[in-house]
Amino acid sequence: RKTFQKENIDGLFGELNTDYKGMPDSEQLHRDAHLAIAYHDSGRPIPESIDPRVIELISKHGPKD
Amino acid sequence: MTLKEIHHTVKRPGRTQDHEPVEIPVAEELATVPGIVKKDNDVAWYSRNYPIVSQNVEKAADREWTWTVYTGEMYEYRKHHDEVNKPLVEAAYVSGDIVPTGTVESGRDVTEEIRQKARELGFGEVGFTKYDRKYAYKSKKAWVKYEHAICLALEQDYWQTQTIPSMEAEFAHFGTYEEEGALALDLADFIRDLGYRAQVHSPNDNSAAYIPMFVEAGLGQLGANGQLLSPHFGNRSRLMIISTDAIVSYDEPVDYGIHKFCEMCQVCVNRCPGRALVKEKVFWRGVEKHKLMYDRCRPVMATYEGCGVCMLVCPVQRYGMAPVMEHFVETGEVLGKGTDNLEGYEIRGKGYYGPGKLPSFSREFFEIPHGTKDEWLFTQFKQKIEEKGKVTEEEKQEFVKELGDILSEESIFDAGL
């Protein structure tokens, strides 16, 4: 299992900041993204409570096993 | 199947009024004591014989020095903040003298009304305890009125804080203080409408070390970084107190499992750019705590936009206490520890530091002024005599003039606003 490296993190939050900037739920998306990365890096399943848009970003920007 | 036995579960209100309450499982091996380990006799002895001196007074020389190492942008922003904040600090200073506007309903406990109002105003954590004068600053002991403390924590913006160390994070840091100072004046008005007196203890001209009272009110526990770790935002909040003579009931201290958790986690200790945090606890003024090395912290904090890496890398700040404690119960591990996502940060002009990597600084970088302004002036003068063997009449006169200027400075605020 590989963990998120700096380039993965920059890519994910770069897109998050561009696409969701100023939206009312952008702060919650940031919280969800950090939590989802932590679960990913620990090898545990990402909780269902995490926003689906964040799950997409994790798949897109995450390290390839 | 969980890995760890659960000792107890702490139930807390949601992060805001719109959020559901949370349950925090505390593993058997993390349970210690509610609040903090302390020796009450020692705390009282130190308070009587060596009352706490505000950092603003005791370290005034380096406080003045910080302005000389700010970037241009930081200097201008900090000046702006002080101008915006000054009326709030001034209003807080005289708030205890304002007479109540309402009439007391005899014998009625108003704890929950005040708590509800504080939550409506946006305070994320609200707790009630005795205003403990043992933690009051020497310069403020005579100023403090009323026996009950309402402990108030205002959350700092999540996204901005994750950019630490940066100007963006400083906007969140100082902006939260400005917001909090104004909200507290509103809450004090509400208390006066109930018929009681209220004194606002500014978060920028503190009357005491506030954290012990927050711990006593059950709002969190002291972390290895020397900051209050509260359930929803860890150390990402700004703390203040309102003292009052209203009829209130006290909250109880809580064991969130933080003492043992921090001993095991150590992320802030390992990631501090100045190596200012220590692994082992000591008893300091009667309280068992991780005591930071001020002289290793201050130069980094002053030079690099308030630093705050210890806030940034705390998993309780980043993920919230419930997910972190739940993860420990499930796996026996610290959520995020060892990852770039939690531990990585950038230092202006130095670059990116991931897990296991730290910036280095020259020995001279840590040489800062010490003590009060007059103490530092004496130190420099003495050094001059030791180096040259004597001083000129002109140098003597200059020293006397500078000393006179320092001693004639007048401000009712420790922060010297």
Side-chain angles (χ1 to χ4, degrees), chain B residues 235-255:
Chain B
N235 49 10
R236 184 173 31 82
S237 69
R238 299 294 156 183
L239 312 180
M240 68 174 304
I241 280 175
I242 292 179
S243 60
T244 182
D245 61 357
I247 298 174
V248 294
S249 302
Y250 292 167
D251 297 310
E252 297 289 332
V254 172
D255 181 9

Side-chain angles (χ1 to χ4, degrees), chain A residues 6 27 30-31 34 44, chain B residues 15 155 157 159 326-327:
Chain A
K6 183 178 186 297
E27 171 146 329
H30 271 92
R31 292 173 191 268
H34 278 290
R44 291 182 69 201
Chain B
R15 180 163 61 84
E155 183 176 9
D157 184 86
W159 170 75
E326 181 265 343
H327 185 77

Side-chain angles (χ1 to χ4, degrees), chain A residues 3-6 9 13 17 27-28 30-31 34-35 37-39 41-42 44, chain B residues 15 155 157-159 162 236 318-319 326-327 330-331 335 339-341 346 352:
Chain A
T3 61
F4 268 67
Q5 303 298 297
K6 183 178 186 297
I9 296 163
F13 284 104
N17 290 333
E27 171 146 329
Q28 187 55 50
H30 271 92
R31 292 173 191 268
H34 278 290
L35 194 55
I37 293 171
Y39 277 110
D41 286 353
S42 74
R44 291 182 69 201
Chain B
R15 180 163 61 84
E155 183 176 9
D157 184 86
Y158 183 84
W159 170 75
Q162 311 317 319
R236 184 173 31 82
R318 188 72 64 90
Y319 311 121
E326 181 265 343
H327 185 77
E330 290 288 332
T331 67
L335 187 60
T339 66
D340 279 88
N341 184 44
E346 290 194 50
Y352 175 76

